[in-house]
Amino acid sequence: MIREVIVGENGGIRIDRYLSDICPELSRSYIQKLLKCDRVSVNKKIVKSNYKVSEGERISFDVPDAVEPEILPEEMKLEILYEDSDLIMVNKPKGMVVHPAAGHLSGTLVNGLLAHCRDLSGINGILRPGIVHRIDMDTTGVLVACKNDFAHNHIAEQLKEHTITRVYYAIVHGVIAEDEGTIDASIGRHPVDRKKMSINEKNGKHAVTHYHVLCRFERFTFLECRLETGRTHQIRVHMASIGHPLLGDTVYRTGKCPIPGLQGQTLHAGILGILHPRTEEYLEVRAPLPKYFSDLLKNWGYNGDGILCNLY
């Protein structure tokens, strides 16, 4: 498939880096292979990886059509929080990938949904049927999937307009002094590490997170975070940017995790509120904190009443 792009203001960089920035679904190494095989041209002239692009140039690149693998239904125990003929809302456990991708063609939430629902919306293709939004593998909590294209389009529009209620619970490093705050900082692909996101005011997308302190401990803070936008890794990036990375996050915090055996970031999608696509009535679903998360809080003496408190 031939794809074409016109270089914008961020010219002056190598073409392999430029294409990997604007096409995050393609790795830089894959783009370099396309360049090596003479599948990339600028203004109809074949170029190599070290070519530096300029504003206004037309880049054409030939991406071979991929043969998508067959995704099979898998019987698995799903914690269903709500279900009707249009939607299914589940409490995703820690360590589960939402949809199949390279290295994860089975055992994903989609495999389980296909076994349970049979019919899911097809807008996102055969690898992501029904999936209108995602949460990270080690993030737990509420996720909605759509059973038909009507519902999918309706929920997607709400996501686009930022009208969905999304409340997360997190434990972060350090003791946050203020009771609440707002982080308004654009997020984009990390300039060096393509697997990470970062604060990127020039090329990133608008991102806003509101946080509220639920409890302070000696070395950590328990937070409620409300998303005004929904960028990839938003809470993880935003909290790390103000010096309070999530406990257990090995991507946005260096050093050994202080909690032995903790797998991944302590982040839970606790509340999801939408306008139902069929009835237009507000529907809010809640997922309780996973046991590992609540056990941490109990061990530190959290009283669980949801008010501001200090335990140090």
Side-chain angles (χ1 to χ4, degrees), residues 134-251:
R134 292 174 289 178
I135 53 179
D136 299 332
M137 179 177 71
D138 285 325
T139 298
T140 57
V142 191
L143 184 142
V144 60
C146 301
K147 295 184 177 182
N148 52 65
D149 291 356
F150 170 79
H152 191 123
N153 285 325
H154 200 287
I155 302 300
E157 185 62 25
Q158 293 181 57
L159 284 166
K160 180 181 177 182
E161 298 297 326
H162 309 307
T163 57
I164 287 180
T165 300
R166 280 180 289 182
V167 179
Y168 286 72
Y169 296 96
I171 299 174
V172 300
H173 283 267
V175 180
I176 298 179
E178 64 275 11
D179 289 342
E180 57 187 23
T182 295
I183 305 171
D184 186 341
S186 296
I187 293 176
R189 190 68 57 179
H190 193 281
V192 177
D193 189 341
R194 299 292 300 164
K195 295 181 180 180
K196 295 173 62 175
M197 307 300 287
S198 65
I199 301 299
N200 190 330
E201 297 295 345
K202 182 179 179 181
N203 300 315
K205 294 182 179 180
H206 181 230
V208 179
T209 302
H210 306 282
Y211 64 87
H212 174 78
V213 171
L214 294 176
C215 195
R216 298 179 181 90
F217 305 102
E218 184 176 358
R219 293 185 296 161
F220 308 106
T221 304
F222 178 35
L223 297 176
E224 175 186 276
C225 298
R226 290 182 177 265
L227 296 185
E228 190 171 311
T229 56
R231 308 305 177 196
T232 300
H233 297 178
Q234 179 171 317
I235 294 174
R236 299 167 65 186
V237 173
H238 270 174
M239 296 313 301
S241 75
I242 63 170
H244 296 284
L246 269 64
L247 174 63
D249 195 334
T250 59
V251 176

Side-chain angles (χ1 to χ4, degrees), residues 65-85:
D65 292 333
V67 178
E68 294 186 319
E70 182 182 5
I71 305 304
L72 300 176
E74 293 180 36
E75 294 291 340
M76 62 179 66
K77 186 177 181 180
L78 300 175
E79 185 178 346
I80 299 172
L81 303 172
Y82 174 87
E83 183 177 13
D84 61 24
S85 59

Side-chain angles (χ1 to χ4, degrees), residues 67-72 100 110 114 121-129:
V67 178
E68 294 186 319
E70 182 182 5
I71 305 304
L72 300 176
V110 161
L114 286 172
S121 68
I123 291 176
N124 274 338
I126 65 172
L127 289 179
R128 293 184 287 178

